[in-house]
Amino acid sequence: MQPARHAPAGTGPGRLAPAHVALAALVAAVWGVNFVVIEIGLDHFPPLLFSALRFLVAAVPAVFLVGRPKVAWKSIVGVGLVLGVAKFGLLFTGMDLGAPAGLSSLVLQAQAVFTALFAFAALGERPGRLKVLGMAVALAGIGVAAVDEGGSGPLAGFALVIAAASCWGVSNVLTRKAAPPDALNFMVWVSTVPVLPLLALSLLLEGPERDLAALRGLDWTGVGVIVYVAWITTVFGFGAWGWLLRRHPASSVAPFSLLVPVFGMSSAALFLGEPVTPLRWCAAALLVGGVALTSLAPGRVPGGGPGRNPVAPAEPAVVSFPRPTSQERRA
């Protein structure tokens, strides 16, 4: 008989050690500040080229270090196209059109609502009353944010960020079906998929002249931006997040992702001078509160039993879901 494994001193089931709390908060900060870094990067690169470079550097050389894919290629390609091409292409383009970094970090949290809606439609995961209430509260927050943005900035960029959140919801459901056992391995292989489609779209929509001018004008700031969004945000962020999820229940780790818009809005105000209006504070309270209810409230999986539905990390996007049932795998 093997000796029982004991939790670290000061912890219990579902409780994180202080060092692990600090690591989870650091990952949330990295993902929140990432929106400021994206804003800086958009001054150096066209949005679709920027997104392509982000995934290229995230995939190479990491793809040679993480081992072979641990899920089917159809899942990697599906998530890569929806997440990498659609979600990040829309997000970067929306921010390039004027969606503020801080507001984008907040509005993107609507992915939790879209995830719940798509999971109901595709997987039959019925939301309970508390989850439905959370979705309504989060949608009210989006409405308040739209009113605030309509009075101070272009709505086109805001609409593209909402569309990006919906694509994130689709990719979360696809990830739920894939049930990758290693989040970092999955994210690195997913990062190989969007590179060529995004480069093709950039050449078609942004033009080879603009792309070449951005690459010829590459400076240390541009290099630093690419390194941050690719290695710090993706490789370190997902490596640390996956490490925490392997050691603690998802319900204990996932709530830290709600800090992402807090770090996003505060860093945008600090480094970019973005104003945080009373309406934006109201939208933040509604959206974060609604996302918390939507993501952390138990849902119902097919068959009527309760199921876990932990909140997805906000940047990049691999949601931690329980493994699918045998009935779902056969479907």
Side-chain angles (χ1 to χ4, degrees), residues 228-263:
Y228 186 94
V229 299
W231 291 352
I232 305 300
T233 296
T234 303
V235 178
F236 166 74
F238 271 94
W241 194 261
W243 186 87
L244 289 167
L245 285 173
R246 286 193 295 271
R247 286 158 178 78
H248 301 282
S251 58
S252 298
V253 178
F256 284 91
S257 66
L258 295 174
L259 294 174
V260 171
V262 176
F263 286 112

Side-chain angles (χ1 to χ4, degrees), residues 107-175:
V107 171
L108 207 60
Q109 301 309 306
Q111 57 81 22
V113 175
F114 289 112
T115 300
L117 290 173
F118 295 143
F120 170 68
L123 304 177
E125 296 180 354
R126 292 176 294 164
R129 292 181 179 179
L130 192 60
K131 191 180 293 290
V132 172
L133 174 62
M135 293 165 63
V137 172
L139 289 173
I142 293 175
V144 173
V147 171
D148 178 61
E149 181 66 5
S152 59
L155 280 175
F158 180 88
L160 289 183
V161 175
I162 294 291
S166 70
C167 291
W168 190 357
V170 174
S171 73
N172 283 341
V173 173
L174 294 176
T175 303

Side-chain angles (χ1 to χ4, degrees), residues 31 34-35 38 83 87-88 90-92 95 100-115 142 145 158 160-169 172 260-261 287 291 312-317:
W31 285 341
N34 185 56
F35 289 87
I38 291 171
L83 173 68
K87 183 256 184 177
F88 279 101
L90 289 168
L91 173 64
F92 281 34
M95 293 181 65
L103 185 63
S104 297
S105 73
L106 173 65
V107 171
L108 207 60
Q109 301 309 306
Q111 57 81 22
V113 175
F114 289 112
T115 300
I142 293 175
F158 180 88
L160 289 183
V161 175
I162 294 291
S166 70
C167 291
W168 190 357
N172 283 341
V260 171
L287 238 172
V291 166
E315 172 55 34

